[in-house]
Amino acid sequence: AHPLEAARAHQPGLAHQRQKHRQLEAEAKNLAEVLGNMKNDWSKRLKSIQFIQACFVTHDLLRMPQIYTFLAKIAEPLSLQLFDLRSTITKEACKTISLISEVLETEFEAIAANCFVTEVSLFKLMESGTAVMAQHAHRCVLSILYNTSSSK
C-alpha cells in the first residue's frame, strides 16, 4: 500500500472532516445562489435564511475551521435580502445577522464592518421610509455593536 493511503487509514476522522468541508462548501454555494438572485421565489429565499440561522443556533459551524469561508460566501447575498420589499425577509435577514454576531462575538467585527454595517446595507435600511424595516435595521446594528464590542 502507498504510505499516504496507510496514513489515511489510521485517520478515519480526516476523511469525514474533508467530506463535511465539501458539504459545507456546496451548501454555501447553494445558499449564495438562492440569496444572490432577488428574482428567486421569496419563500425559497426565506428558507435559505432560516437554514443559516439553524446552522448558527445549533453551533454546528463553530466546530469547523471553514466557518469564515462559509460566512464570506453568504455575507453579500444575505446583505441583499435586507432590501427585499417584504418585511418578513428583511426581518429574518436582520435576525440572522444579529444571531451571527451573538455567536461569533468579537470575531464578527471585521465581517460586520465590511458587509453589513455600511452605508449601502444596514445604515441605508435605517433610512427606509418603511418604519418597520428601519426598526429591524436599527435593532440589528445595536445587536452587532453590543455583541462585537470588546472591553478595550
Side-chain angles (χ1 to χ4, degrees):
H2 189 273
L4 189 56
E5 288 176 19
R8 285 187 184 146
H10 294 300
Q11 296 178 341
L14 193 60
H16 179 69
Q17 190 177 21
R18 273 197 293 274
Q19 180 184 7
K20 295 261 304 172
H21 174 70
R22 282 192 296 274
Q23 288 173 334
L24 186 63
E25 274 188 17
E27 199 60 58
K29 182 181 179 200
N30 180 48
L31 290 166
E33 286 174 8
V34 171
L35 296 175
N37 184 350
M38 295 297 278
K39 292 181 181 176
N40 280 329
D41 181 60
W42 73 271
S43 63
K44 191 174 180 182
R45 290 183 284 124
L46 180 61
K47 285 179 184 170
S48 294
I49 294 169
Q50 290 168 336
F51 177 83
I52 296 167
Q53 290 172 2
C55 288
F56 282 92
V57 166
T58 61
H59 295 248
D60 285 348
L61 289 176
L62 294 181
R63 294 185 289 272
M64 302 183 81
Q66 299 84 10
I67 186 173
Y68 297 103
T69 306
F70 175 82
L71 201 48
K73 288 181 181 177
I74 64 159
E76 187 176 326
L78 180 59
S79 183
L80 281 175
Q81 301 309 306
L82 295 170
F83 298 99
D84 191 272
L85 297 177
R86 291 166 196 82
S87 63
T88 302
I89 296 288
T90 301
K91 176 184 173 185
E92 290 301 311
C94 287
K95 182 177 165 183
T96 303
I97 295 164
S98 295
L99 176 65
I100 295 169
S101 76
E102 187 179 318
V103 171
L104 296 180
E105 298 176 328
T106 56
E107 294 176 25
F108 185 63
E109 188 173 3
I111 298 163
N114 291 325
C115 299
F116 301 114
V117 186
T118 68
E119 62 276 355
V120 293
S121 60
L122 285 168
F123 283 147
K124 184 176 181 180
L125 187 59
M126 284 174 40
E127 297 172 351
S128 171
T130 308
V132 71
M133 291 188 179
Q135 289 171 350
H136 294 316
H138 180 78
R139 284 189 211 110
C140 187
V141 169
L142 290 177
S143 177
I144 291 170
L145 290 172
Y146 178 80
N147 291 314
T148 62
S149 62
S150 62
S151 59
K152 298 188 242 182

